[in-house]
Amino acid sequence: RTSGQWVQPVLAVMDTARALLDSLMGMDRDGEGRGDEWKGEEVCKNALVAFCPHNLFQTTTKRVFRSVQPCQKNHSDALRTSFEAHEEYEKYREIFERDLRADLEALCFEADQFSVQEAKNLRQAGVELRLPSELKQKYKEYNSRYAELCKESEELGEKGEIEAANNVMSSARAIKGDIDDLRKRFSADYEGEEVCKTCGTRVRSGDSDAARAKRESHLNGRTHAAYSQVRDKLAELKERRSQRDTARDTGRTEKREEKKEEKKEDADANGKRSRSRDRRRRSTSRDRKRKNSRSRSRGRTSRR
Protein backbone atom coordinates (compact mmCIF):
# COMPACT_ATOMS: atom_id res chain seq x y z
CA ARG A 1 0.00 0.00 0.00
CA THR A 2 0.98 3.60 -0.50
CA SER A 3 1.21 5.96 2.47
CA GLY A 4 -2.17 7.46 1.51
CA GLN A 5 -3.84 4.03 1.58
CA TRP A 6 -2.75 3.54 5.20
CA VAL A 7 -4.03 6.91 6.42
CA GLN A 8 -7.79 6.28 6.47
CA PRO A 9 -7.69 2.94 8.38
CA VAL A 10 -5.30 4.44 10.95
CA LEU A 11 -7.49 7.51 11.42
CA ALA A 12 -10.56 5.30 11.82
CA VAL A 13 -8.82 3.30 14.55
CA MET A 14 -7.73 6.52 16.28
CA ASP A 15 -11.29 7.91 16.17
CA THR A 16 -12.64 4.69 17.67
CA ALA A 17 -10.06 4.78 20.45
CA ARG A 18 -10.78 8.45 21.14
CA ALA A 19 -14.52 7.80 21.38
CA LEU A 20 -13.89 4.92 23.80
CA LEU A 21 -11.68 7.11 25.99
CA ASP A 22 -14.30 9.89 25.92
CA SER A 23 -16.90 7.41 27.13
CA LEU A 24 -14.74 5.98 29.90
CA MET A 25 -12.78 9.03 31.11
CA GLY A 26 -14.69 12.04 29.88
CA MET A 27 -13.95 14.54 27.15
CA ASP A 28 -11.78 16.63 29.48
CA ARG A 29 -9.53 13.72 30.47
CA ASP A 30 -6.35 15.61 29.48
CA GLY A 31 -6.90 18.63 31.74
CA GLU A 32 -8.06 19.79 35.12
CA GLY A 33 -11.53 20.86 33.94
CA ARG A 34 -14.00 23.07 35.76
CA GLY A 35 -15.93 20.19 37.28
CA ASP A 36 -19.13 21.05 35.43
CA GLU A 37 -18.38 19.66 31.96
CA TRP A 38 -21.45 17.46 32.46
CA LYS A 39 -23.61 20.55 31.80
CA GLY A 40 -22.65 20.50 28.11
CA GLU A 41 -25.26 19.85 25.41
CA GLU A 42 -23.21 16.91 24.15
CA VAL A 43 -23.69 15.03 27.45
CA CYS A 44 -26.63 12.66 27.96
CA LYS A 45 -28.32 13.87 31.16
CA ASN A 46 -30.34 10.66 31.49
CA ALA A 47 -27.12 8.70 31.86
CA LEU A 48 -25.96 11.05 34.63
CA VAL A 49 -28.88 10.17 36.93
CA ALA A 50 -29.71 6.61 35.83
CA PHE A 51 -29.40 5.14 32.34
CA CYS A 52 -30.11 6.17 28.77
CA PRO A 53 -33.36 4.47 27.67
CA HIS A 54 -32.58 5.15 24.01
CA ASN A 55 -29.43 3.04 24.03
CA LEU A 56 -31.07 0.51 26.33
CA PHE A 57 -33.41 -0.50 23.52
CA GLN A 58 -30.69 -0.72 20.91
CA THR A 59 -29.52 -3.95 22.54
CA THR A 60 -32.77 -5.74 21.72
CA THR A 61 -32.97 -8.03 18.68
CA LYS A 62 -35.86 -5.97 17.34
CA ARG A 63 -37.04 -2.53 18.37
CA VAL A 64 -40.56 -3.23 19.51
CA PHE A 65 -42.10 0.20 19.73
CA ARG A 66 -39.56 1.23 17.43
CA SER A 67 -39.77 5.01 17.71
CA VAL A 68 -36.79 4.74 20.07
CA GLN A 69 -33.74 6.06 18.24
CA PRO A 70 -30.09 5.68 19.31
CA CYS A 71 -28.66 8.44 21.51
CA GLN A 72 -25.56 10.03 20.03
CA LYS A 73 -24.58 11.96 23.15
CA ASN A 74 -21.75 11.28 25.59
CA HIS A 75 -22.45 8.63 28.27
CA SER A 76 -19.14 8.96 30.15
CA ASP A 77 -18.81 7.30 33.55
CA ALA A 78 -16.23 9.95 34.43
CA LEU A 79 -18.73 12.73 33.79
CA ARG A 80 -21.25 10.98 35.98
CA THR A 81 -18.69 10.74 38.79
CA SER A 82 -17.90 14.44 38.38
CA PHE A 83 -21.60 15.27 38.43
CA GLU A 84 -22.24 13.28 41.62
CA ALA A 85 -19.37 15.11 43.35
CA HIS A 86 -20.58 18.58 42.34
CA GLU A 87 -21.86 20.95 45.03
CA GLU A 88 -25.12 21.48 43.10
CA TYR A 89 -25.69 17.78 42.55
CA GLU A 90 -29.09 17.64 44.27
CA LYS A 91 -30.38 20.69 42.41
CA TYR A 92 -29.50 19.36 38.95
CA ARG A 93 -30.38 15.79 39.85
CA GLU A 94 -33.97 16.84 40.40
CA ILE A 95 -34.03 18.66 37.04
CA PHE A 96 -32.49 15.76 35.11
CA GLU A 97 -34.70 13.18 36.85
CA ARG A 98 -37.77 15.20 35.85
CA ASP A 99 -36.72 15.01 32.18
CA LEU A 100 -35.87 11.31 32.46
CA ARG A 101 -39.24 10.66 34.08
CA ALA A 102 -40.96 12.25 31.08
CA ASP A 103 -38.98 10.02 28.68
CA LEU A 104 -39.82 6.87 30.63
CA GLU A 105 -43.50 7.81 30.85
CA ALA A 106 -43.57 8.21 27.07
CA LEU A 107 -42.05 4.75 26.60
CA CYS A 108 -44.55 3.16 28.98
CA PHE A 109 -47.44 4.95 27.27
CA GLU A 110 -46.27 3.62 23.91
CA ALA A 111 -46.04 0.10 25.31
CA ASP A 112 -49.53 0.38 26.80
CA GLN A 113 -50.93 1.57 23.46
CA PHE A 114 -49.20 -1.30 21.69
CA SER A 115 -50.71 -3.78 24.17
CA VAL A 116 -54.21 -2.52 23.28
CA GLN A 117 -53.53 -3.33 19.63
CA GLU A 118 -51.98 -6.69 20.44
CA ALA A 119 -55.02 -7.65 22.50
CA LYS A 120 -57.05 -7.57 19.28
CA ASN A 121 -54.73 -10.13 17.64
CA LEU A 122 -54.60 -12.74 20.40
CA ARG A 123 -54.81 -16.36 19.34
CA GLN A 124 -57.67 -18.04 21.12
CA ALA A 125 -57.50 -21.36 22.91
CA GLY A 126 -58.22 -24.42 20.81
CA VAL A 127 -56.56 -27.36 19.07
CA GLU A 128 -53.50 -26.84 16.89
CA LEU A 129 -51.50 -29.13 14.64
CA ARG A 130 -47.82 -29.40 15.61
CA LEU A 131 -46.17 -31.37 12.83
CA PRO A 132 -42.47 -32.18 12.88
CA SER A 133 -40.62 -30.30 10.17
CA GLU A 134 -39.96 -33.50 8.20
CA LEU A 135 -43.72 -34.23 7.93
CA LYS A 136 -44.96 -30.77 7.02
CA GLN A 137 -44.27 -31.20 3.29
CA LYS A 138 -45.90 -34.63 3.26
CA TYR A 139 -48.96 -33.26 5.02
CA LYS A 140 -49.20 -30.51 2.42
CA GLU A 141 -48.92 -33.03 -0.42
CA TYR A 142 -51.61 -35.22 1.15
CA ASN A 143 -54.06 -32.34 1.29
CA SER A 144 -53.27 -31.27 -2.26
CA ARG A 145 -53.71 -34.80 -3.60
CA TYR A 146 -56.91 -35.31 -1.63
CA ALA A 147 -58.42 -32.15 -3.12
CA GLU A 148 -57.42 -33.25 -6.66
CA LEU A 149 -58.98 -36.72 -6.26
CA CYS A 150 -62.22 -35.30 -4.85
CA LYS A 151 -62.50 -32.95 -7.84
CA GLU A 152 -61.71 -35.75 -10.29
CA SER A 153 -64.31 -38.06 -8.69
CA GLU A 154 -66.92 -35.29 -8.93
CA GLU A 155 -66.18 -34.70 -12.63
CA LEU A 156 -66.39 -38.43 -13.40
CA GLY A 157 -69.73 -38.64 -11.61
CA GLU A 158 -71.10 -35.74 -13.68
CA LYS A 159 -70.10 -37.66 -16.83
CA GLY A 160 -71.96 -40.73 -15.66
CA GLU A 161 -68.82 -42.81 -15.06
CA ILE A 162 -70.00 -43.98 -11.68
CA GLU A 163 -67.63 -46.93 -11.22
CA ALA A 164 -64.57 -44.83 -12.09
CA ALA A 165 -65.79 -42.06 -9.81
CA ASN A 166 -66.14 -44.54 -6.93
CA ASN A 167 -62.64 -45.92 -7.49
CA VAL A 168 -61.13 -42.42 -7.42
CA MET A 169 -63.12 -41.57 -4.29
CA SER A 170 -61.76 -44.74 -2.62
CA SER A 171 -58.23 -43.46 -3.28
CA ALA A 172 -59.24 -40.08 -1.87
CA ARG A 173 -60.60 -41.71 1.29
CA ALA A 174 -57.32 -43.59 1.76
CA ILE A 175 -55.38 -40.31 1.60
CA LYS A 176 -57.95 -38.69 3.91
CA GLY A 177 -57.18 -41.49 6.37
CA ASP A 178 -53.48 -40.59 6.24
CA ILE A 179 -54.33 -36.92 6.84
CA ASP A 180 -56.56 -37.78 9.82
CA ASP A 181 -53.86 -40.02 11.25
CA LEU A 182 -51.32 -37.20 11.17
CA ARG A 183 -53.79 -34.82 12.77
CA LYS A 184 -54.60 -37.31 15.49
CA ARG A 185 -50.95 -37.98 16.24
CA PHE A 186 -49.72 -34.41 16.20
CA SER A 187 -52.66 -32.31 17.34
CA ALA A 188 -52.53 -30.73 20.80
CA ASP A 189 -54.55 -28.32 22.88
CA TYR A 190 -53.48 -24.70 22.54
CA GLU A 191 -54.08 -22.62 25.67
CA GLY A 192 -54.26 -19.30 23.84
CA GLU A 193 -52.33 -16.05 24.30
CA GLU A 194 -52.29 -13.06 26.63
CA VAL A 195 -50.66 -9.64 26.56
CA CYS A 196 -47.61 -9.00 28.73
CA LYS A 197 -48.45 -6.05 31.00
CA THR A 198 -44.79 -5.00 31.14
CA CYS A 199 -43.78 -4.75 27.49
CA GLY A 200 -47.11 -5.11 25.67
CA THR A 201 -46.22 -8.12 23.51
CA ARG A 202 -48.23 -11.33 23.15
CA VAL A 203 -47.14 -14.35 25.19
CA ARG A 204 -48.36 -17.92 25.52
CA SER A 205 -50.84 -18.55 28.32
CA GLY A 206 -51.64 -21.79 30.14
CA ASP A 207 -49.80 -24.24 32.39
CA SER A 208 -48.44 -26.74 29.89
CA ASP A 209 -44.70 -27.31 29.64
CA ALA A 210 -44.67 -25.63 26.23
CA ALA A 211 -46.53 -22.58 27.54
CA ARG A 212 -44.25 -22.23 30.56
CA ALA A 213 -41.18 -22.55 28.36
CA LYS A 214 -42.47 -19.83 26.03
CA ARG A 215 -43.20 -17.49 28.92
CA GLU A 216 -39.82 -18.15 30.49
CA SER A 217 -38.15 -17.33 27.19
CA HIS A 218 -40.16 -14.12 26.95
CA LEU A 219 -39.35 -13.03 30.50
CA ASN A 220 -35.65 -13.61 29.87
CA GLY A 221 -35.76 -11.70 26.59
CA ARG A 222 -33.99 -8.36 26.23
CA THR A 223 -37.08 -6.42 25.19
CA HIS A 224 -39.02 -7.50 28.28
CA ALA A 225 -35.98 -6.87 30.49
CA ALA A 226 -35.60 -3.37 29.03
CA TYR A 227 -39.22 -2.45 29.77
CA SER A 228 -38.98 -3.97 33.24
CA GLN A 229 -36.02 -1.69 33.92
CA VAL A 230 -37.92 1.30 32.51
CA ARG A 231 -41.02 0.68 34.64
CA ASP A 232 -39.00 -0.01 37.80
CA LYS A 233 -37.00 3.19 37.36
CA LEU A 234 -40.15 5.19 36.61
CA ALA A 235 -41.77 3.92 39.81
CA GLU A 236 -38.61 4.85 41.74
CA LEU A 237 -38.54 8.36 40.26
CA LYS A 238 -42.21 8.93 41.02
CA GLU A 239 -41.67 7.84 44.61
CA ARG A 240 -38.68 10.18 44.92
CA ARG A 241 -40.73 13.06 43.50
CA SER A 242 -43.49 12.28 46.01
CA GLN A 243 -40.98 12.33 48.85
CA ARG A 244 -39.57 15.67 47.65
CA ASP A 245 -43.07 17.14 47.39
CA THR A 246 -43.94 15.88 50.86
CA ALA A 247 -40.71 17.34 52.26
CA ARG A 248 -41.43 20.69 50.59
CA ASP A 249 -45.01 20.73 51.90
CA THR A 250 -43.78 19.87 55.36
CA GLY A 251 -41.15 22.62 55.14
CA ARG A 252 -43.74 25.16 53.99
CA THR A 253 -46.09 24.16 56.81
CA GLU A 254 -43.31 24.44 59.36
CA LYS A 255 -42.36 27.87 58.03
CA ARG A 256 -45.97 29.03 58.21
CA GLU A 257 -46.21 27.76 61.77
CA GLU A 258 -42.92 29.48 62.64
CA LYS A 259 -44.21 32.75 61.21
CA LYS A 260 -47.46 32.39 63.15
CA GLU A 261 -45.49 31.75 66.31
CA GLU A 262 -43.25 34.74 65.63
CA LYS A 263 -46.29 36.96 65.05
CA LYS A 264 -47.86 35.67 68.26
CA GLU A 265 -44.66 36.31 70.18
CA ASP A 266 -44.45 39.80 68.66
CA ALA A 267 -48.06 40.45 69.57
CA ASP A 268 -47.49 39.20 73.12
CA ALA A 269 -44.38 41.37 73.41
CA ASN A 270 -46.26 44.38 72.06
CA GLY A 271 -49.08 43.67 74.48
CA LYS A 272 -46.70 43.49 77.40
CA ARG A 273 -45.06 46.76 76.35
CA SER A 274 -48.49 48.37 75.98
CA ARG A 275 -49.60 47.22 79.42
CA SER A 276 -46.33 48.41 80.89
CA ARG A 277 -46.85 51.85 79.33
CA ASP A 278 -50.40 51.91 80.69
CA ARG A 279 -49.14 51.10 84.17
CA ARG A 280 -46.51 53.82 83.93
CA ARG A 281 -49.13 56.31 82.78
CA ARG A 282 -51.45 55.37 85.61
CA SER A 283 -48.60 55.58 88.11
CA THR A 284 -47.58 58.99 86.77
CA SER A 285 -51.16 60.16 86.94
CA ARG A 286 -51.48 59.03 90.56
CA ASP A 287 -48.22 60.77 91.43
CA ARG A 288 -49.50 64.01 89.90
CA LYS A 289 -52.77 63.75 91.80
CA ARG A 290 -51.00 63.14 95.10
CA LYS A 291 -48.64 66.04 94.43
CA ASN A 292 -51.50 68.37 93.57
CA SER A 293 -53.39 67.23 96.63
CA ARG A 294 -50.43 67.97 98.92
CA SER A 295 -49.98 71.40 97.30
CA ARG A 296 -53.61 72.33 97.91
CA SER A 297 -53.37 71.09 101.50
CA ARG A 298 -50.29 73.24 102.19
CA GLY A 299 -52.04 76.24 100.67
CA ARG A 300 -55.02 75.93 102.98
CA THR A 301 -52.77 75.56 106.04
CA SER A 302 -50.78 78.70 105.25
CA ARG A 303 -53.96 80.82 104.88
CA ARG A 304 -55.05 79.86 108.36
Side-chain angles (χ1 to χ4, degrees):
R1 292 186 179 184
T2 64
S3 60
Q5 291 176 313
W6 287 101
V7 171
Q8 292 302 323
V10 171
L11 290 177
V13 171
M14 291 174 63
D15 288 341
T16 301
R18 186 179 298 109
L20 179 60
L21 287 172
D22 286 345
S23 175
L24 294 175
M25 302 176 64
M27 299 181 70
D28 194 58
R29 60 185 179 276
D30 297 326
E32 290 290 332
R34 303 185 312 276
D36 61 355
E37 290 78 9
W38 45 267
K39 290 183 180 180
E41 289 294 328
E42 73 283 357
V43 178
C44 176
K45 305 307 188 294
N46 289 337
L48 292 177
V49 293
F51 55 85
C52 178
H54 296 270
N55 286 350
L56 179 67
F57 282 91
Q58 304 315 307
T59 62
T60 59
T61 53
K62 58 178 182 177
R63 294 188 10 228
V64 182
F65 313 116
R66 317 314 118 166
S67 63
V68 184
Q69 298 300 322
C71 177
Q72 304 299 331
K73 294 188 176 183
N74 194 330
H75 301 84
S76 166
D77 291 337
L79 287 174
R80 180 169 182 168
T81 300
S82 175
F83 168 63
E84 292 173 347
H86 198 272
E87 59 183 6
E88 292 187 303
Y89 168 69
E90 289 297 337
K91 169 187 172 182
Y92 283 97
R93 179 189 184 189
E94 182 175 357
I95 295 172
F96 297 159
E97 284 186 348
R98 179 193 61 202
D99 295 339
L100 174 60
R101 190 171 62 245
D103 286 348
L104 299 183
E105 285 175 341
L107 286 170
C108 291
F109 176 79
E110 192 177 18
D112 293 340
Q113 291 296 105
F114 188 82
S115 69
V116 172
Q117 297 301 317
E118 285 291 86
K120 300 175 183 178
N121 302 318
L122 293 176
R123 291 180 60 188
Q124 301 302 314
V127 177
E128 68 172 1
L129 183 63
R130 302 174 186 170
L131 288 170
S133 56
E134 64 272 12
L135 293 178
K136 288 181 179 179
Q137 182 60 33
K138 182 177 289 187
Y139 180 78
K140 183 178 179 181
E141 292 172 356
Y142 280 164
N143 279 281
S144 178
R145 182 58 179 161
Y146 175 70
E148 292 174 357
L149 290 175
C150 287
K151 183 178 180 180
E152 182 180 351
S153 176
E154 183 180 354
E155 291 173 349
L156 289 172
E158 290 175 352
K159 293 177 181 179
E161 300 179 17
I162 305 302
E163 184 176 354
N166 288 336
N167 290 335
V168 172
M169 182 54 67
S170 295
S171 299
R173 292 194 189 97
I175 292 177
K176 182 64 165 59
D178 293 335
I179 293 172
D180 291 342
D181 180 62
L182 287 175
R183 286 178 174 171
K184 184 178 179 180
R185 289 167 55 196
F186 297 104
S187 289
D189 291 331
Y190 183 74
E191 298 94 332
E193 292 180 325
E194 60 188 13
V195 175
C196 175
K197 295 180 180 179
T198 299
C199 63
T201 55
R202 287 177 289 163
V203 293
R204 184 82 168 265
S205 59
D207 295 323
S208 67
D209 292 341
R212 285 196 292 268
K214 287 285 186 181
R215 283 200 301 276
E216 187 70 20
S217 176
H218 168 76
L219 294 175
N220 291 330
R222 289 180 290 181
T223 297
H224 180 87
Y227 272 95
S228 294
Q229 188 173 349
V230 165
R231 291 187 185 274
D232 289 345
K233 177 55 69 174
L234 179 58
E236 177 187 329
L237 294 179
K238 286 183 175 180
E239 176 62 23
R240 189 172 296 145
R241 178 184 61 180
S242 177
Q243 291 174 355
R244 288 188 182 118
D245 292 343
T246 300
R248 287 193 182 98
D249 291 341
T250 301
R252 293 189 189 104
T253 301
E254 290 177 350
K255 286 182 179 179
R256 284 195 296 267
E257 292 300 323
E258 288 176 0
K259 288 181 179 180
K260 286 181 181 179
E261 189 63 29
E262 289 174 359
K263 288 181 179 180
K264 182 179 178 183
E265 290 176 356
D266 290 342
D268 291 343
N270 291 332
K272 289 179 180 179
R273 286 193 293 270
S274 178
R275 288 192 294 272
S276 178
R277 285 195 298 269
D278 290 342
R279 284 195 296 270
R280 287 195 299 271
R281 290 193 191 102
R282 287 194 295 270
S283 177
T284 301
S285 178
R286 285 194 298 270
D287 290 343
R288 287 197 191 100
K289 287 179 180 179
R290 284 195 294 268
K291 184 177 180 180
N292 291 335
S293 177
R294 285 194 295 269
S295 296
R296 286 194 296 270
S297 177
R298 285 194 297 270
R300 284 195 296 270
T301 302
S302 64
R303 284 195 295 270
R304 287 175 189 169

